[in-house]
Amino acid sequence: MVNLVKASFLALSVFLVACAAPSKAPQSLYDEIGGAPTIEAITENFINEISFNETIYRYFEKTNITRFREKFIEHLCVNTGGPCTYTGDTMLRVHQGQNINETDFNLTVDLLVNAMEKAGLTYPQQNRVLKELAPMRKEMLYK
Ligand code: HEM
């Protein structure tokens, strides 16, 4: 009887220890690419790319770049699974009235790809970021 109690206790202990063992959560894309410093580098590179591109810079002529930098960092952080809160406006609201066409949209995506490349993201990582942003495309085009 005592042995049975001991055995049950042992089994219960093993069960509890197994349950308490930290389960390995899958790493977010945010963590995989290097977290905040990488998100900031992508944003900085993106702003640079925009400033050197006459076609796209035209859209940003009146933009407060300090605000854009802050909101774009938050947005990219959230969309890669990072621990941030996006405090900017909706994609529809921000891009409304700009009448962005597909050519300029694709050109902007090219600039973002250059920015990610320069920040050291691999090709598959770049694609994962773009995949997160793709559904927002319809909120930006021809508005
Ligand atoms: C790749 C997809 C895009 C994403 C994820 C994106 C994201 C953002 C974000 C987060 C902001 C700041 C929002 C805020 O201030 O509250 C912003 C602002 C802006 N975006 Fe985009 N954007 C994208 C594509 C584009 C494209 C294609 C254009 C034009 C060719 C564009 C032009 C602008 C401009 C001009 C602003 C500043 C608006 C202002 O001055 O108030 N964006 N965008």
Side-chain angles (χ1 to χ4, degrees):
M1 180 63 183
V2 173
N3 276 345
L4 186 64
V5 171
K6 269 191 194 162
S8 311
F9 183 70
L10 188 68
L12 181 68
S13 310
V14 169
F15 176 69
L16 289 177
V17 168
C19 288
S23 60
K24 223 176 164 208
Q27 206 184 24
S28 64
L29 178 57
Y30 174 86
D31 285 329
E32 190 186 310
I33 63 178
T38 309
I39 297 289
E40 283 161 24
I42 295 172
T43 305
E44 218 46 59
N45 297 343
F46 186 42
I47 292 170
N48 253 322
E49 292 281 331
I50 291 170
S51 70
F52 285 115
N53 189 292
E54 244 176 82
T55 309
I56 303 306
Y57 181 72
R58 262 191 284 124
Y59 288 87
F60 287 86
E61 258 165 0
K62 295 197 177 104
T63 295
N64 173 345
I65 295 297
T66 306
R67 178 192 161 103
F68 175 77
R69 179 184 289 109
E70 181 188 309
K71 304 304 177 197
F72 197 85
I73 287 172
E74 288 175 4
H75 191 262
L76 201 50
C77 173
V78 170
N79 285 294
T80 52
C84 307
T85 306
Y86 178 61
T87 62
D89 293 322
T90 63
M91 290 299 96
L92 180 61
R93 194 189 165 124
V94 171
H95 301 96
Q96 199 141 35
Q98 297 191 39
N99 197 20
I100 301 169
N101 60 34
E102 283 183 75
T103 310
D104 289 352
F105 184 88
N106 293 341
L107 184 51
T108 309
V109 171
D110 287 345
L111 300 182
L112 182 59
V113 166
N114 293 345
M116 291 193 283
E117 181 82 36
K118 287 179 182 160
L121 270 69
T122 64
Y123 190 61
Q125 288 169 340
Q126 293 170 26
N127 280 338
R128 283 165 66 196
V129 173
L130 296 181
K131 198 174 150 219
E132 292 305 321
L133 302 181
M136 299 164 200
R137 186 176 182 271
K138 59 181 183 301
E139 292 184 55
M140 301 176 198
L141 279 185
Y142 302 109
K143 302 288 182 212

